[in-house]
Amino acid sequence: MPEVMIEAQRRRGRPRDTDKDASIRDATWQLLAERGYDGLTFEGVAEIVGCSRATLYRRYATKAELIAAILDSTSRSVEPDLPPEMSPRDALIAHSLAGAIYLSGHRGPALISLGFVAAKIPELVAAITGHVSHELEYYRLELRKLFPSVAPEEIDFACSTLLGGIVYHVALAQQELPRRRIEQLVDQAIRMLEDVA
């Protein structure tokens, strides 16, 4: 079938309701935090949102697909808008502040609980791994600008250390992470790479 016809078929029907999508996202996070992956049901999400299960099934075929969608849409909802001339350090701080917002409230504990069950569910592993890899690339990019000759595994270690600090404080300890603390974590990651550059 020609590509134009396929695209036209995808556009048929009513346009997606972005408010409904946001409500579904928030309800899914809420249920994941309260009941975990096993307790997350389309019925539960539909009840909180005030929609039918059919609304959810039209959007997502499986729970793993729903989770992949909320990971992506949550990330896009907090993604910073960075001017091209922004320094790599400032871009790392902006991404880290967005990461702290992403992990705040019930989303952080929900993500941690997803990590524990993911090993048993291959499609969930794929969704989470793909999402994490995509998110890490923002940090890798900025650190590569600062240290273009440093080995990729060193860059990845600095990224993991930076993000691990944010995850610990925001998601596990449930602490607010002020900008000055974010700056300290970013500077620590930069110093780590200065030592091996």
Side-chain angles (χ1 to χ4, degrees):
M1 184 177 286
E3 220 172 287
V4 175
M5 289 179 70
I6 293 170
E7 190 58 36
Q9 285 178 342
R10 285 187 194 138
R11 284 185 271 178
R12 287 188 184 149
R14 288 183 291 187
R16 292 277 288 263
D17 179 346
T18 55
D19 290 339
K20 180 82 67 186
D21 288 340
S23 297
I24 291 168
R25 180 184 67 218
D26 293 343
T28 302
W29 281 121
Q30 178 186 336
L31 287 176
L32 283 170
E34 292 172 358
R35 302 179 191 170
Y37 181 78
D38 291 335
L40 173 66
T41 63
F42 278 33
E43 293 80 10
V45 173
E47 185 178 322
I48 292 171
V49 173
C51 67
S52 68
R53 286 183 303 175
T55 299
L56 294 170
Y57 285 115
R58 277 194 298 273
R59 287 169 162 81
Y60 317 104
T62 65
K63 284 198 307 187
E65 193 176 305
L66 169 61
I67 288 170
I70 69 158
L71 291 172
D72 180 60
S73 68
T74 302
S75 178
R76 282 186 282 113
S77 74
V78 299
E79 191 173 278
D81 185 22
L82 306 180
E85 69 278 0
M86 182 176 265
S87 74
R89 179 184 181 268
D90 288 340
L92 286 165
I93 291 167
H95 284 300
S96 298
L97 287 166
I101 292 168
Y102 185 115
L103 293 167
S104 65
H106 51 260
R107 290 187 298 260
L111 270 173
I112 290 169
S113 74
L114 276 177
F116 285 114
V117 299
K120 302 173 198 163
I121 306 161
E123 60 272 13
L124 191 54
V125 170
I128 292 171
T129 303
H131 177 69
V132 169
S133 178
H134 176 74
E135 294 301 310
L136 277 173
E137 197 52 40
Y138 292 115
Y139 297 85
R140 288 180 183 126
L141 175 69
E142 300 305 331
L143 288 171
R144 277 191 219 110
K145 288 178 187 175
L146 290 170
F147 304 100
S149 62
V150 169
E153 59 270 13
E154 298 291 345
I155 297 280
D156 283 350
F157 185 73
C159 287
S160 298
T161 302
L162 168 58
L163 292 174
I166 295 168
V167 168
Y168 172 78
H169 291 288
V170 179
L172 285 173
Q174 294 283 290
Q175 299 170 347
E176 188 174 319
L177 207 52
R179 183 182 176 91
R180 71 181 178 83
R181 293 290 188 208
I182 294 277
E183 289 173 358
Q184 289 174 329
L185 290 170
V186 167
D187 290 338
Q188 176 187 5
I190 291 170
R191 279 193 302 277
M192 290 171 66
L193 293 173
E194 286 171 344
D195 290 344
V196 297

